[in-house]
Amino acid sequence: MKTKSSKKLKPITPLSIASKKLKDLELAVLHQSTRIVPDLLKDLKALLLPLDDYLIAHSNRPSKSLQKLEKATNEIDWEDAFTNGQTQLQLEPEMLSGVLEGQFLKMLIAIAQAKNVLEIGSFTGYASLAMAEALPKDGQLLACEFDPYTAQKAREFLDESPVGHKIELKVGDARKTLEELHQSNKIFDFVFLDADKQGYLYYFKYILDNEMLNIGGIMIVDNTFLKGQAYQSVPDNEDAKAIQNFNKKVCDDPRVEQVMLPLRDGITLIRRIE
């Protein structure tokens, strides 16, 4: 007896609708159906171009301190700072977490009722400040930043904020800092990882292997799409390969449960379980 094939579900999310229209556009170009190309392009632009602005407009507005920090970060000539030897790495203002991610992190800190937070990769402190704004009075955030120039800028910005005193900045190699924290028996409720991509797996394993994240604690990992390169069949650079491998290892680790979200450049929310 033949069974009816299951009906293919129609796309309903902006991304799935855009994917369908891209396929239609490809077919139209292939078959030289130029008449429908302008309509498809119009639909794609309407779906995708306003999306980020719409998300930001319908999320909480960042504090004045966060707005000031973002503006100051964007005004720094990062290319010149690297050329003149002020920064040890080639940095860019796009590395700032931004409004949407900042508010997301702030909300998660509040929901998790976290008090002790570890951040690996702080840049100029935007995410640090956003999370600190949700911490209780006795909450503390320890932020690790490799580059001294960037850490100095972060400290200047954070000190101007009413909650900057909740943030301690550790400058240098985060691996060494993790070792020091482990030796001091530090345990965290919440970890935000946004550092060197090839170091992600090390940080993840070190924290879990040494039980530095409480059971039920949350780890947020940024850039798990890596501009879409992570889900290409054959990544074309070492960072993309590292992220692809990291994503797989997280899914295979029985100590955690996780969900990957299409927020900004991909965010993975990880929870430590027994």
Side-chain angles (χ1 to χ4, degrees):
M1 180 178 175
K2 291 184 178 179
T3 58
K4 291 183 179 179
S5 59
S6 58
K7 185 179 178 181
K8 189 174 182 180
L9 297 176
K10 64 180 180 181
I12 59 171
T13 66
L15 190 57
S16 63
I17 294 170
S19 298
K20 173 66 168 59
K21 289 187 178 294
L22 275 172
K23 290 179 182 177
D24 293 343
L25 181 61
E26 182 182 39
L27 286 172
V29 172
L30 184 64
H31 296 293
Q32 298 184 343
S33 303
T34 54
R35 181 180 57 82
I36 65 172
V37 168
D39 288 339
L40 288 169
L41 287 173
K42 182 180 177 181
D43 289 346
L44 282 167
K45 288 168 66 176
L47 273 170
L48 300 177
L49 294 184
L51 182 56
D52 279 353
D53 289 339
Y54 188 81
L55 292 170
I56 291 171
H58 292 81
S59 301
N60 281 346
R61 287 182 57 80
S63 65
K64 290 183 179 179
S65 295
L66 284 169
Q67 292 178 49
K68 186 175 181 180
L69 192 157
E70 181 176 18
K71 183 175 183 293
T73 299
N74 289 333
E75 289 174 348
I76 295 173
D77 189 334
W78 292 100
E79 185 176 348
D80 184 68
F82 178 71
T83 302
N84 292 331
Q86 291 173 290
T87 63
Q88 297 181 21
L89 304 169
Q90 285 188 302
L91 307 171
E92 51 191 22
E94 288 79 11
M95 295 174 69
L96 190 111
S97 297
V99 174
L100 193 62
E101 189 170 347
Q103 294 306 304
F104 179 71
L105 290 168
K106 183 176 179 179
M107 182 73 77
L108 286 178
I109 291 287
I111 292 171
Q113 298 183 332
K115 292 179 66 174
N116 297 300
V117 179
L118 173 65
E119 180 184 25
I120 303 177
S122 179
F123 191 43
T124 55
Y126 189 95
S128 313
L129 182 55
M131 290 187 285
E133 288 181 347
L135 286 173
K137 288 183 179 180
D138 58 344
Q140 190 69 28
L141 185 148
L142 193 150
C144 304
E145 174 53 45
F146 177 78
D147 187 77
Y149 175 82
T150 310
Q152 178 188 338
K153 289 294 181 183
R155 188 73 266 170
E156 292 171 6
F157 300 147
L158 297 173
D159 286 344
E160 295 180 6
S161 162
V163 299
H165 64 280
K166 296 180 183 178
I167 303 167
E168 178 186 357
L169 268 171
K170 284 276 192 178
V171 184
D173 189 340
R175 299 184 185 217
K176 183 177 179 181
T177 300
L178 279 177
E179 291 174 3
E180 293 171 352
L181 292 171
H182 174 50
Q183 290 169 6
S184 301
N185 298 314
K186 289 288 289 184
I187 301 176
F188 298 91
D189 311 309
F190 194 101
V191 175
F192 178 47
L193 178 54
D194 184 16
D196 55 299
K197 310 313 169 194
Q198 295 178 47
Y200 270 20
L201 189 57
Y202 175 87
Y203 302 132
F204 172 78
K205 285 178 62 63
Y206 192 94
I207 289 168
L208 288 181
D209 290 348
N210 293 289
E211 300 186 343
M212 295 176 67
L213 179 66
N214 276 321
I215 293 174
I218 299 296
M219 181 185 296
I220 302 296
V221 185
D222 199 10
N223 303 115
T224 49
F225 285 175
L226 204 70
K227 302 177 182 177
Q229 296 174 56
Y231 51 84
Q232 302 298 315
S233 56
V234 182
D236 62 0
N237 63 70
E238 293 305 313
D239 280 353
K241 291 176 184 176
I243 290 294
Q244 190 178 75
N245 183 51
F246 171 80
N247 291 339
K248 183 180 184 304
K249 294 293 186 183
V250 170
C251 287
D252 293 340
D253 197 313
R255 299 172 293 182
V256 299
E257 55 187 14
Q258 66 286 325
V259 59
M260 186 179 287
L261 303 172
L263 175 63
R264 209 161 176 255
D265 188 30
I267 280 185
T268 300
L269 194 158
I270 300 168
R271 178 174 175 266
R272 186 187 168 201
I273 58 177
E274 284 192 80

